[in-house]
Amino acid sequence: MSEEIKYDRRRFLAIAAMSVATAESVLIGSADAQSSKTKPAALPTIKPGTNKSFSSLKQIDAGLLNVGYADAGPAAGPVVILLHGWPYDIHSYVDVAPLLASAGYRVIVPYVRGYGSTRFLLSDTLRNGQPSALAVDIIAFMDALKIDKPIIAGFDWGARTANIIAALWPQRCKAMVSVSGYLIGSQEAGKMPLPPKAELEWWYQYYFATERGRAGYDEYRHDFAKLIWQLASPKWHFDNATFDRSAVSFDNPDHVSIVIHNYRWRLGLANGEPKYDDLEKRLAEGPVITVPTITLEGDANGAPHPDASSYAKKFSGKYAHRIIKGGVGHNLPQEAPQAFAQAVVEVDGY
């Protein structure tokens, strides 16, 4: 990755708040022109928070893991895989899944390593949180379920995983929906300093870099996660029951190790595994994504996120960007399930 690209990758986090309005006026107009022939089917209307649980939870051995996952919709329908982030879980899609199922999709929502009922098959496997490892997990999960080429959609860690799969294995990804756009990075890019205001937004990374931070997250993981929810979605008035349904997932015995390793790896403070070195080298080059893509951003995302104008050229296939209004924060699929599900249906028609 050139120094210019590295700089841009870090710089746009600091200027995101100043550029959203410009991105909306420029990119959305362009996107509408690109997708003018697409007429996605209308989905049933749903109020966020309507559903509390998934009707079907399953387990399957896949790669290094026994993966827990929700499975909704017709078994023979076109497959959509929905990927959650930190500190969230599959309940981010508890309203999205039935919407897509009603449109004929088979909707699969796996717990990422370190969450919910997903477990490592071997006790001595490194509890590795590096991005390429999480992407390999999903490829193995697809293989175990004999899924060839699904639509993949996600936010936060899930969006990054979707980006990696679309970039490195485009033959395994029919189309993609990615909240906050292009999130592929590298350890080298992570070493570059940001202006102080932008660094402040990453406070938890530095906390996690210390043993005090690891111990604090372990002891107060539910309180910590709730604080992140509040900061990342300042206008989302979720209730305790909504949070508690996801917080149970953080009791996974590997959760703290995976989270701490992920953020330490990003700062170059923890090593990854050599078997992923080649993948990380390819990702460090900032590969262009060729599969059809829609990127989404909430108009009240309080988490650090890139400005849409900075990543538009990273998508060479049919592409559109959408700003989701109404005080929508970082957990976009749970806060605005209608818009997220509609984006999946739309990108399927590209």
Side-chain angles (χ1 to χ4, degrees):
M1 182 186 289
S2 70
E3 290 301 318
E4 180 180 0
I5 292 175
K6 293 177 192 173
Y7 175 74
D8 286 344
R9 171 76 181 129
R10 299 289 283 166
R11 178 176 62 85
F12 59 47
L13 290 171
I15 64 173
M18 297 184 293
S19 304
V20 167
T22 301
E24 182 178 356
S25 61
V26 174
L27 285 177
I28 289 182
S30 174
D32 287 342
Q34 291 183 53
S35 57
S36 59
K37 295 181 180 180
T38 303
K39 295 181 179 179
L43 296 171
T45 300
I46 194 169
K47 181 180 178 181
T50 295
N51 295 287
K52 311 301 181 187
S53 62
F54 292 94
S55 60
S56 176
L57 294 177
K58 302 177 180 179
Q59 299 286 142
I60 191 169
D61 287 350
L64 301 174
L65 305 169
N66 177 260
V67 180
Y69 64 102
D71 194 342
V79 179
V80 179
I81 294 179
L82 305 176
L83 302 175
H84 70 81
W86 172 84
Y88 307 93
D89 83 328
I90 64 173
H91 288 86
S92 291
Y93 298 104
V94 74
D95 287 324
V96 172
L99 283 174
L100 293 174
S102 72
Y105 292 95
R106 181 185 179 190
V107 187
I108 299 175
V109 194
Y111 283 110
V112 176
R113 57 166 63 186
Y115 294 78
S117 60
T118 291
R119 298 288 188 274
F120 285 90
L121 294 172
L122 300 176
S123 61
D124 60 352
T125 301
L126 178 67
R127 272 41 178 174
N128 182 352
Q130 72 183 107
S132 60
L134 272 63
V136 170
D137 285 347
I138 299 304
I139 294 293
F141 177 65
M142 290 162 54
D143 289 344
L145 289 174
K146 297 180 172 54
I147 295 169
D148 181 42
K149 197 172 184 179
I151 299 169
I152 305 177
F155 75 106
D156 195 81
W157 288 21
R160 182 174 294 106
T161 298
N163 287 185
I164 292 171
I165 293 172
L168 299 186
W169 297 281
Q171 74 278 12
R172 301 302 302 274
C173 181
K174 180 182 180 182
M176 179 176 68
V177 173
S178 177
V179 177
S180 296
Y182 188 88
L183 298 177
I184 294 174
S186 69
Q187 285 186 318
E188 285 302 312
K191 293 176 183 178
M192 296 189 68
L194 293 168
K197 185 177 180 180
E199 294 284 15
L200 179 64
E201 295 181 320
W202 291 110
W203 64 273
Y204 53 88
Q205 288 199 101
Y206 304 113
Y207 182 63
F208 289 162
T210 68
E211 284 308 302
R212 176 189 175 100
R214 181 189 180 97
Y217 185 59
D218 192 10
E219 183 172 354
Y220 301 107
R221 68 185 80 176
H222 289 199
D223 293 342
F224 199 102
K226 182 174 281 190
L227 175 61
I228 295 295
W229 280 36
Q230 292 165 342
L231 295 174
S233 299
K235 296 186 179 181
W236 181 34
H237 303 297
F238 59 88
D239 58 24
N240 287 335
T242 297
F243 174 77
D244 291 342
R245 279 190 288 273
S246 288
V248 173
S249 294
F250 314 145
D251 294 333
N252 181 296
D254 302 308
H255 178 75
V256 173
S257 295
I258 295 297
V259 171
I260 296 300
H261 186 267
N262 177 281
Y263 287 107
R264 289 184 181 180
W265 183 91
R266 292 196 208 183
L267 295 177
L269 301 176
N271 294 324
E273 293 179 84
K275 64 182 178 180
Y276 300 116
D277 285 352
D278 179 63
L279 298 179
E280 294 296 352
K281 287 178 183 178
R282 293 167 63 189
L283 294 172
E285 296 173 355
V288 170
I289 291 174
T290 60
V291 307
T293 298
I294 292 177
T295 57
L296 303 174
E297 192 62 78
D299 65 347
N301 186 359
H305 59 279
D307 167 56
S309 63
S310 298
Y311 57 68
K313 292 183 180 179
K314 284 295 186 180
F315 301 98
S316 64
K318 193 165 185 180
Y319 170 71
H321 179 70
R322 304 279 184 257
I323 301 293
I324 309 304
K325 297 182 178 180
V328 176
H330 191 59
N331 187 1
L332 193 149
Q334 196 162 3
E335 298 175 59
Q338 197 85 33
F340 191 93
Q342 196 66 45
V344 171
V345 175
E346 181 179 344
V347 81
D348 188 26
Y350 279 14

